[in-house]
Every structure is written in structure tokens, then in C-alpha cells.
Amino acid sequence: MENTAQQANNALQAASQPIEHTTLLMVLGISGLLALAVLMVPLASRLKIPYTVMLAAMGILLGLIAELVLHAPWLGFLHEFVEALFSLEITSEAVFFVFLPALVFESALAIDVRRLFDDISPILMLAIVGLLISTAVIGFTMASVTGAALIICLLLGAIVSATDPVAVVAIFKDLGAPQRLAILVEGESLFNDATAIVVFTILSAMILGQSDPTLLSGLFSFAKVFFGGIFIGYLTARLCCFMLPHLGESNLPKISLTMSLAYLAFIIAEHSLHVSGVMAVVTAALVLGSRGRSIITPSAWHGLEEVWEQLGFIANSVIFILVGLKVPSILASMTAQHLTWLGILLTAGFSARFVVIFGLVPVMGRLGLAAEVSKGYRAVMFWGGLRGAVSLALALAVMENDNFPAEVQQFIGIMVTGYVLFTLAVNATTVHLVMRAFGLGKLSPTDEAVRDRAFQTTMRSVSERVRSSARAMHIGEQQTDSVVKPFETLAREGGAGLTSSDITAEDWRLIGLRMITMSENKAYHKMLDEGEISPEIARNLFGQSADISDSLRHGGVDAYVATYKDKLDYHWQTKLAILVQRYFGLPRFLAKRLATRFQILEAECTALHELRQKGLAQVQNIIGEDACAEVAALLEQRDIETERALAGLRACYPEYAEALERRMLQQTAMRLEYRHYKEMQSNSLIGKEVTSKLLEQMAERYTDLQQNLTLDLGLEADVLIAKMPFFSGLQADSQQAIAKLLKPRLALPGETIFEQGGPPDAMYFISSGAVRVQLGDGDVMLGSGDFFGEMALLTDQPRMASVKAEGFCELLTLSKQDFRQLLQQDNNLRSTIENVAKERTQSNQG
Ligand code: CMP
């Protein structure tokens, strides 16, 4: 076949056509291939064979007939097309730099990053340790059987150990496999592609004498290349996320930027810095996938996903056929001995995978290093570990590199192609049987119950609507009945195949809550889309609702309640911000955190209200009245608690709350205005030009909406002192002297200001808010203008009681030293404080 390719090339050059002709042939080749590839889609679904298997088969078939066609110029267009295909000269570089980034980026982008991280330890274990084990088992076995050098056999091991999930994932989609299984399989393949390529690069450098073959240096370069790739991917993706919001309204530049991201990350890593390009692309796509959704609007994101899906489809189709074309020539040189070796290679490969999946994965689970993976999942992962594009591309790289001895090229070429074809022909076509055997293609009993209820609800609604349409159209009762009756029967009794599963009330409550949680997430997406919340707030809300739904999935209703309560508590960043303000006197970080919390709570309250008003009604149709009432009660409780948290903030920062509410109204006005213009345009009342002028004017009027609202903490000592009657009696100069000594401090609701028995380090004045002094026999509340913590300072004894903030409290603290100094200077102050302390001691004793 290589000869034929050469001939085709020679023929092309002999024609000495200008460059355009080659370009023409290339365009013809690729577009023709695509046309053939898409024809495989309906064929694959009719024959129930995975699409990639069909593609490879077609590639091989094409390769076989191409030889005939190449010698028959009288076939005209067909002849030219085949010529074009061979002139494409698929090099491993083309596969690497053009197709691989697209393939990897697309599959990593589609992965649910949170779910991936739930299972990251088994995935990384399979992808790194598993791949290394498999490489070693294959390497040693093949070296002892074939007599080839160990390092060559290890190289072969690395090449055939990279799994390719494309075919299996397609089967998963058809059969509705559980999401976790798909994530495990896809995640493993994403990371083991990178590992295989890294190992491949290191081993080839050793074989070609470019590096020194010690285990330590190998491990070191592995770590450098692997983590270097992650670093580059992360950096480039963050840069991309930073640029995305500044690219204007249109989606097109944003999507284009993500395309450059995929290729630039790959090239910078692989070519410029010699670290793992695939790892860079995987990381970049994962970062974009987790952050990007809140940076660009949901509709833009949807567009982006579609474009990438398309690119992935093209890359995959082209790669498979192009490689398929080469297969006949590779296999033509196969001997009986090669066949035996291939048998041994397959046995070694599958045994290694068996050991990893059935040995290592459960051991990890038992040691608590990874979540358990069920037997059924492991069986599918074992049998579904197909090999594909990456293995073929790596084999191509060996076959094309003339620095490798010819027999090594042939050995690797035949073994890898044979391995890939075997998994495509045997595993890909039978993995669905394994899934069925373990019942993995079936819906769970709860999903079945949901399906049944959804079906019946739909039947009911359809029959009612058809009846009312019939009335409106004055269609006779008889005809209507003949159409509607079957629907009514189905609505009453359910359809054939529906199971009357015994789902408990508890299950229905869980199902309902799950639905509501998903609607909540959707509500935040809508708010972002309509500009009601900023991308930063959206990111917080998405993360929060994902955590809540994760906890619901893993721990049921109790975990749900615990998580939402936890989220209502102060974020660790806010607590950190409090410390920064307290110890470094820097209030900006705290102001920002509180502003964020304000907006999160505001959005959460809006979403919860809406869910209670509208969302529940839809859920009720499926889960029934009783379960729905329970969900409603849970939601009400959450709503009340969220409202309370918001009210606390609002009371402390009323001006900010008002500004926020004003802004939300302005945003609604802007949205309405926008829709009104668009409506007038679509009704042809105004033209496109007039609309765009109006929108331009509108944008100018709302520019201040873009600016961030700032929350003024009002934590300046002189402002706080001015609010306190305690200090107003003092003369202006002593007021100023005290202002210098007092340090403002904000206490969050529920925060313990100090504990009983704590050191006497400072006393506190309350500028606003209230605190609770926790005395053994009943608490005492202190409010604005009061002070506390003086007793320990006067007596130099530990604190006699703990003090907690009731709501937000603005406090002024006076350190022990300053306290002493101040009391020495100011007798008036001394006697006031001492008198209060005395009264308190008496009341405590009495
Ligand atoms: P100290 O002992 O430093 O810490 C606990 C504080 O609680 C104490 O100082 C007083 O400021 C305050 N405290 C103690 N008893 C009472 C009381 N009966 N009424 C109000 N405040 C009190």
C-alpha cells in the first residue's frame, strides 16, 4: 500500500500541477471521507454496530478497493478521489497536532468535572498505575516470547495500553448506562492517553539513544512531563476564562477562542516546553468546563458545546478511516508467527487489565482510597477497554520514524493494528452483552417508577388537551372519543411494559427533592442568562447547588438539610476576611465577601420562592400529593432560614440592600425594554437599523449597571464612636485620643467573641448590634452603647463568662495596655467602668 501511496504521489507530482491542484485534492479527500463517514451513521445504527467500528471497517474496505481503483484511471472522479485520499499522507504529526487536540478537548469538555472528581482516585489509579502495570506485563511477556529487546516490548506495551472510549461511550448512550460508569470509563481513557503518550515519548527517546535509560530518570521525566502538562493547561485555560467575558455579545469569537485554547495549550506544552500536550489539553478543557459555564451565558455555552461536538465527530471520523486505509498494507506483511505473537500480546494485555481492574480497584476501595466500584461496572470496564485512535497514532509515529530499525517498525505496526482491530471487532461488538448480563442497561426501580408516572401524567394532559381542541374545532363526540379514549385508558392504567414498582413514600420524597434541586440549578442558569446575577455569583450558586444535590444523592434528605444549613453558615473565605480585617485592619476583602453573600442569599431566596410557587406544582404530578407536601415543607423551612440570614445582613447594611434592590429593578426594566424593542422588530413595526440604534441608546443609559456595587462596612473608629452615647459625654480632645486607641471589629451572627476562662486581653464597646453574655444561671443581653470584657481586665483574672454575637455587631476593642493607660489618664472613665463592673458582680452574686 505504501507503494501505491507513493505511486499516487508520484503521479500527482508528474502532473506538475500548480499547488491549487493539491489543495483541491486535499479538500476533495477530506470532504469525500466525511461524506462516506456520515453514511456509516445510519448504517451503524441499523446494523447495531458501534459507529467507530463501522468506520474502521469501511477504512479497511476502502484500502482494499483503493488498490484496484488506483490502477483504473478510467474510473474518472472515483479515481481522482482515491488519489486524493492517498495524497493526504496522514502522518502521525498530522494526527497529533490536528486531530488529537480536538478529540481530547471535546471529550474532556463534555465530562461533568464534579462527578469526575468524585471518582478521581480510582480513575488516576487506573490511568497511571494501571497503565504502568499493563505496560510492564506486556513488555516482559512479549520480550520473553519474541526475543525482541525489552525496551521495544515495553514501548509496545505503552502503545496498546491506552484505552479509547469513543465506541463504548456510544454504546453507553444507546443503552442508557449509569452516569458513574460512563465517567469512570471516559475519565480513565482521558488520563491514560496522556500517560501512555508520556511513557511512549520517554521510551522512544531511550531507544533512539537520546536519553539515558535509568528507572529514576524515567520516573523523573514522567513526573515532569505529566505535571508540566497540567500546569500549562491550567494556565492557558485561566487566561482564556479571563478573556472570554471581554469578547462582546456574539458567541462566535468566544467559541473561536476556545478552539485556539485547545491547540495553543497543546502546542505550547508539547512543542515549546516538551511537556505533555494531551495532559495540557485535558486540563484546559476541564478548567474551561468547570468555570466557563458561569463566565459565558448558558445559551453561548450550549453553542460552544455543539461546535466542539461537531469538531470531535469530524476528527474521530477522519482519523478512523485514514488509519483504516493503512491497515491492509500493514497486515499484508503479517506472518503466522506474527499471529501467534498477537495472540500472546492479547492474552498479556487482557490479563494485565484483569489484574488491575479486579485486583487493584477493589483493594483501593477496601483501603478506603477510592469509592467502591461494583462488580458489574468492573466487568464492563474490563471488557470495554477498547483501543483506538491514540494507539494507532503512536504506532504510526514509530512506523514513520526511520530511526527505528525496519523490523521494529513492522513489529509495532502489525501488533498494534492487530490489537486495535481485535478490540474493535470483538469487544466493541459484545460489550453490550456484558452490560445486559449485569443489568446495567436497565433503569433503576426509582427511575422506572418516575418513567411510569411521567407517562401517565402526559397521557392525562394530552387527552384533556385534545378534548378541548376538539370542542374548539366543533369535532363530534364520537370522533373525539375514538381518538382520546385510548389515551385516557393509558392515563388510568399505564401502558404495556409499565411496572408497578413498590416505591416507598420516602423514595418519592427523595425523587421530588432531586427534581426540585435540579430546577433550582436551572433557575440560577436563567438568572445568569438574564443578567440578574453576575458570573461570579452564578459560579458560587452553581457550586452550592451542585454540593446540595451531591449530598442528596449520597446521603438522602438528612444530608440535604445538613448541607443547605452548612451553606447558610459563613464561608471560610468570609471567616478569613474577618481575620484579615481584625488583625491587619484591611476591610476591603471582608466588604467584598459580605457583598457576595448578600447577592447569593438574595438569588437563593428568589429561586426558592419561585420553586415553591411554580416548581412544586409540576413535581406534584409525578411524585403525588403526599410526598409533594413533605417536599414543600422542607423547602419552606429552607426558605425561612435563608430569609432569616438575609434579613440579618439587611438590618446591618440597609443602604447596600436598598442599592441592590434598586439595581435588580433596573435590570428587570432593562430586560423588559430589550424585549419590547425586539418584539416590535419581529412584528415588523420597526426595522433592524432602528432597533440597533435603540439598543445602542439603551446600553448607554444602563452603563452604571455594569459597575460593581460597593458595600461600605462603616468600620471606622470615629464613625462608630460618634454613634455611641457613652463617648458623647467626653470632651472632643479625649474623644479623639480614645478614637486612636479603639480598633473596629465586626462580629458575625453567632460568633463567639471570647470564651469563659479566656485571657484578659481586651475590652469591648458595642457600637451596633447585640451580644449575649452566657452566665450560668440565665443569659444577659447587652446592646448598642454597652460594653463588656472589663471585669477580667480590672481584676486580671480569666473571663468569667463567654460572650456571643446575636446578630451582626460592630464593636470597638480596647487592648489591655491601652485600657490601663486610658484609665490612669481619665478618672471619669475609670469610675464609670468600675461602677458598672461592681454592679455586675453584685447582680451575679445576688
Ligand atoms: P469578663 O469577665 O472580662 O468577661 C465576661 C464579661 O461578661 C464580663 O467581663 C462582663 O463584662 C460581662 N458580664 C458579666 N456579668 C454580667 C452581668 N450580670 N450583666 C452584664 N454583663 C455581665
Side-chain angles (χ1 to χ4, degrees), residues 386-442:
L386 308 188
R387 314 298 197 266
V390 172
S391 301
L392 291 172
L394 292 176
L396 267 178
V398 174
M399 288 189 282
E400 278 171 9
N401 191 336
D402 288 336
N403 293 328
F404 284 103
E407 67 274 11
V408 170
Q409 292 184 337
Q410 194 201 26
F411 174 64
I412 298 270
I414 293 178
M415 290 297 124
V416 177
T417 318
Y419 202 119
V420 172
L421 290 184
F422 180 87
T423 60
L424 283 182
V426 178
N427 298 51
T429 51
T430 49
V431 68
H432 67 279
L433 299 177
V434 180
M435 287 183 66
R436 292 236 167 84
F438 285 93
L440 292 177
K442 276 199 289 186

Side-chain angles (χ1 to χ4, degrees), residues 754 773 775 780 782 788-792 799-801 840 843-844:
F754 56 68
V773 181
L775 297 163
V780 175
L782 299 175
F788 60 91
E790 79 295 350
M791 287 160 85
R799 301 287 184 198
M800 53 101 41
R840 287 176 177 173
S843 107
N844 291 349

